[in-house]
Amino acid sequence: MSALSRQCAATSRAGAGASRKQLLSKGPGACSTVQTRSYAAVQKKAASKQGPNGFKGGRNQESQKKYKVDPNARIMQYKPLPAAQLASPLFQTVNPDPLAALPTFRADTLTRSQASRALAFADAAQDASAPFRVFGVQRRMVLEFRLLSRACSVVRGVTLDVVDRLDKAGQEGSKGNRLVLTGDEGCGKSFALLQATQYAAGRDWLVLYIPRGIDLVNSSTPYVYDARTQTYLQGAFALETLKRFARANAAKLNDLVTSTPVELEPRAVLLAGLQPQGQSTNPAASEGTVLPPGTPITQLIEIGTREASVAPAVLDSLLEQLGQQTKRPVLLAVDDFQAVYGKSAYKDPHFAQIRPWHLSMPRLILEYASGNKTFARGAVLGALSSSPHYPLPLELAESLNTPSHAPSSGPYVQRHATAQFYASGLETIPVPSKLSIPEAAALFSVRWKGGKEPGDEMFFSRYVESGGNARSFVWKGILGGAL
Amino acid sequence: MRGLQLLARPAIRGYASTARPYVPPAQLANVAPASAPQKPRPESPSFFTVRPAYYDQLYELNQALSLSRRALRSQCLLPLPPFARDALRPMPSMWRTRGDLSDVMSTPLSNTRYKSITSVLDQLHECRRIAWTAGSLELAVGISDVLTSFEHRNLDAVTNRKRKERPLDEHGRSYTVGRRKTSSARVWMIPVQHDASASTSAPASETVAPPPTPAQASVNNDIDALFGSSADRTSEPASTALAAAPILSSPAQSAPPVKLAEVLVNNIPIHEYFQNPTDRARIVRPLTLTGSLPAYNIFAIVRGGGLSGQSGAIAHAISKGIVVHDARQEIKDILKKAKLLRRDPRMVERKKTGLEKARKRRAWVRR
């Protein structure tokens, strides 16, 4: 009662305009305090005045700015309706879907005769563990696959070259098969990488595909410093990678076992509920346990997927074990390859930039890309991308003999020794900057969504306008630049 | 009575006398004149204008024109029906240049004044033409006498000259210039060398077409129909070679590697220089309309203006280049109809005083 009266007294002091008796009669919930401290007062927004031409949409620039859409975000706004919702007769077409008759991309039938042909990837129902379905793809490809009724691509000469190289690498180790797809912006490097992963998956390889290398270094996932490895662990990323790797290669991992003892951290032991079985090889190490050789690989992965804190170490061990086995080749495919060689967006406690080789995931990739760690059978395949925020670093450009457009290049710029070490020994597979006419024709026939049948003139003029560049041809030429 | 008598008497008051008073001659010896000496009257009323010679000349020419017209009208030769006007004997004429005429008239002539003189001269020439064709030679000769002093010194050479030929250089390239707004483009066009021997190309090459699918067979058919397998085409225009290619060819024949035009702008590929599809389409349009997409490789150096102005300038230059390589009338007609051969005269209109911009007026206020 006294609190209530105090409240209502404050109200009446502030001059709420209601008499004390009235407030008291209304009940306990009726009173409300009016904030008198100016710094804590409710901030009233200044009423936005309508300009003289406001309703015509002329002068009110602020509202115009508010609705400006980021072009990258605009790409993702397109979401087609699922086919099940299109039951109305209005949506039934007389013309059959041309993509329904496309042959499927199969690793065993991919030969030189398939050059310049459009092939569709198997549907989700038939091939749910395809690398691109499990790991994802680049942003632009997501929209392209949404626009088409089936995910498909054109087999180019460079595809067949990469595939031939993978066949060779399947017999050899990854030491001499560290390949990077290079070429102009929009020439089709990411698509070639995607086709390579699909081929490898079809050939019973174990595929670890990282479609957006920029996500490794753009500070979008948590990171924690680990004193043991003296690197920053990216637990969440490693956890997701393990899960997806298990899903993408489920059938192939069942018969694989560890060949050497795998040391586990104490936390991993706790999560796995394991009894300490062996002794650690390093007597100075803290209590841990060692998984004996012959443990199924799936068990190792399952331990790593329990918690994000243990995932990075388990991923390291997993790749080490897979690198030792010779039953199945391993493909480590990374898009935005240049991102792991440059600078990351992560900051250390002194707000200094962290270099990618001090982060667990990029470090893993760099170790295999430099040949420091190898797969007994398999390859490392990367694809460069032209990103304004993560450009091609000078050391990588020099190692690949590609021209660097970085503003600071030349004899007076210091090269980072670590980056040079990690970039040494990489082999380039140049992707041609222009589509050949048959390839462009296949691409055109698949992606043309216009009403009437396009003529040669349309095709040739779009080809010349795009200069043969694949991205320009598809996005500006065929899809009209609307997106 | 007395008043009338008074009026009849002559006025003898000295101040009101009309007769001149006697003045001894010595008094008139050193006397200044009462009024300033009268200035000589100018010969023509245009004396007080800025350019009297010009106005005099214009007046005289207009006089001559009205006389000629009157004479023709009296002979029922004016106004002339259209069929008669078409049947007039062609008489090309060329007037002196502005500088020349300025020297002749010994007065500087501005462009506007020169144009006003030449317009009257053109009309007089038209009257002369009518008179000459109708046979009234006296009138024709009279008009000719007026016009002789205005005619170009080398009339024959000037009227018989042909349009300047722009040949191809030693590499078979054409060099043309195009303009739009404030952009200007210099364009070199060289015919694409299509490979004649498809069979000698390496089988592992990615440009060799595989055994085609039905969809591709139609593409291949079209490609063969368009490009065939004829020999080197540098000497003749590419489009004549296209016309001579076989229409139908067997689908089993492996198509030669097809090459289309490559366009470089300031040494940068077109798709990198022009991001906007509209600009790119504008540049490629003359090639599309004339079917010369596989015919020429284009190198352009463009300066000034913005991107769309530059693309318009390049398109203009490409159209002129196509005409240089292929002088057929149908090609010219196609490009003329599409208004690609004409330099677009539209330029940015100047701002005027009292207005916000070229046309935008200030807000109207009642008071």
Side-chain angles (χ1 to χ4, degrees), chain A residues 116-117 456 466 472 476, chain B residues 213 216 222 262 271 275 280:
Chain A
S116 311
R117 282 186 138 196
D456 290 337
S466 62
S472 195
K476 298 265 168 76
Chain B
T213 55
Q216 272 191 321
D222 296 342
E262 278 184 51
H271 66 277
Q275 300 288 336
R280 296 176 189 174

Side-chain angles (χ1 to χ4, degrees), chain A residues 112-113 115-117 157 432 434 436-439 441 456-457 460-461 463-467 469 472 476 480, chain B residues 204 206-207 209-210 213 216 219 222-223 226-227 258 260-263 270-271 275 277 280-281 284 288 293:
Chain A
R112 286 276 152 193
S113 63
S116 311
R117 282 186 138 196
K434 292 174 75 123
S436 72
I437 302 284
E439 289 165 6
D456 290 337
E457 205 181 273
F460 287 140
S461 62
Y463 183 88
V464 170
E465 282 168 31
S466 62
N469 180 268
S472 195
K476 298 265 168 76
Chain B
E206 59 184 80
T207 52
T213 55
Q216 272 191 321
V219 172
D222 296 342
I223 290 170
L226 280 173
F227 309 132
V258 172
L260 290 177
E262 278 184 51
V263 183
I270 177 179
H271 66 277
Q275 300 288 336
R280 296 176 189 174
V284 170
T288 322
L293 273 169

Side-chain angles (χ1 to χ4, degrees), chain A residues 377-390:
Chain A
R377 284 178 72 195
V380 177
L381 184 59
L384 299 181
S385 74
S386 41
S387 159
H389 300 293
Y390 297 93

Side-chain angles (χ1 to χ4, degrees), chain B residues 119-194:
Chain B
S119 72
V120 180
L121 291 173
D122 287 334
Q123 290 172 65
L124 271 170
H125 177 65
E126 200 58 31
C127 295
R128 172 169 67 171
R129 215 171 134 207
I130 295 168
W132 205 277
T133 312
S136 57
L137 299 173
E138 229 180 79
L139 178 58
V141 165
I143 299 174
S144 290
D145 289 339
V146 173
L147 293 177
T148 313
S149 53
F150 294 96
E151 268 169 356
H152 204 280
R153 278 169 298 175
N154 304 324
L155 187 64
D156 290 330
V158 160
T159 49
N160 291 334
R161 74 165 178 218
K162 287 191 187 139
R163 204 173 178 81
K164 189 175 168 187
E165 287 229 338
R166 297 173 194 287
L168 306 175
D169 66 5
E170 67 270 15
H171 303 290
R173 295 180 300 209
S174 70
Y175 170 62
T176 46
V177 175
R179 288 188 187 88
R180 172 89 169 96
K181 288 194 208 172
T182 54
S183 312
S184 65
R186 301 152 65 200
V187 164
W188 289 262
M189 287 171 62
I190 187 166
V192 174
Q193 302 205 13
H194 293 282

